Amino acid sequence: MVTAYTVYCDASGQPSDGDVLFVSGFGSTASKWLRFEERWSHLLHAYDIQPPFHMNEFAPGVGQFASWKHDKRRRDQFFAQVIKVLKISTQKSFSVGVAVSDLRRFQRDYQLPDNANGDSPYTFCAMLIYRQVNSWAQRHGKQSDTLQII
């Protein structure tokens, strides 16, 4: 039986938000993703967090996390649980980043293959994530037709 793997990714904001953009994600099997969903829902409920969870609210302590802003113990406890859920529910993490101004300068100064000069920082990072996932799959004997990147 061939096991399918799905990698879910998200970006760290907007290219206009700052000079660096990251796209990161986790890969796992369908059965482990189902367990992740169950554990994640339970964790959010235990801490009275309304989904969806947004790191851009948690990190600065705004929105539904405003009351947590100066509660280091609570923040640390919650984040330790987040890491635990991710570690036991996923198999591999992937992350790439780009300095947006450097990418734009590189695109301006050099002719890139496949018309990549107009690619957004998102597209650039997505292509790198795709390469990371495929490289990992090849090293671990995973068939490319069993991979999904979302």
Side-chain angles (χ1 to χ4, degrees):
M1 182 175 139
V2 176
T3 303
Y5 290 84
T6 304
V7 178
Y8 290 96
C9 299
D10 198 8
S12 65
Q14 306 290 328
S16 59
D17 289 347
D19 193 45
V20 178
L21 177 84
F22 276 86
V23 172
S24 302
F26 293 90
S28 201
T29 61
S31 61
K32 280 193 160 198
W33 279 123
L34 289 173
R35 287 193 299 266
F36 168 82
E37 286 182 31
E38 183 180 309
R39 290 175 177 127
W40 184 248
S41 293
H42 182 267
L43 178 62
L44 294 182
H45 179 73
Y47 280 85
D48 198 27
I49 297 169
Q50 296 300 313
F53 172 83
H54 289 288
M55 184 58 107
N56 64 349
E57 290 181 353
F58 175 75
V62 298
Q64 66 179 319
F65 301 102
S67 65
W68 296 34
K69 186 169 187 152
H70 301 293
D71 191 345
K72 181 172 174 17
R73 183 171 178 241
R74 185 176 186 194
R75 293 170 63 83
D76 289 349
Q77 286 176 340
F78 171 72
F79 207 65
Q81 292 300 308
V82 168
I83 292 168
K84 181 179 178 182
V85 167
L86 286 168
K87 285 178 92 172
I88 63 176
S89 303
T90 63
Q91 292 181 287
K92 177 70 177 157
S93 62
F94 301 93
S95 187
V96 296
V98 63
V100 176
S101 60
D102 290 344
L103 174 63
R104 299 212 190 283
R105 186 175 66 247
F106 189 75
Q107 289 172 320
R108 183 186 66 239
D109 293 348
Y110 298 95
Q111 182 61 41
L112 302 176
D114 301 323
N115 296 319
N117 289 74
D119 285 348
S120 73
Y122 289 123
T123 304
F124 183 79
C125 288
M127 289 187 305
L128 293 176
I129 286 282
Y130 177 81
R131 289 183 67 185
Q132 275 189 5
V133 170
N134 280 311
S135 177
W136 169 79
Q138 287 176 355
R139 284 192 316 273
H140 295 282
K142 313 279 186 233
Q143 297 175 349
S144 62
D145 63 342
T146 65
L147 298 172
Q148 285 185 316
I149 304 172
I150 300 170

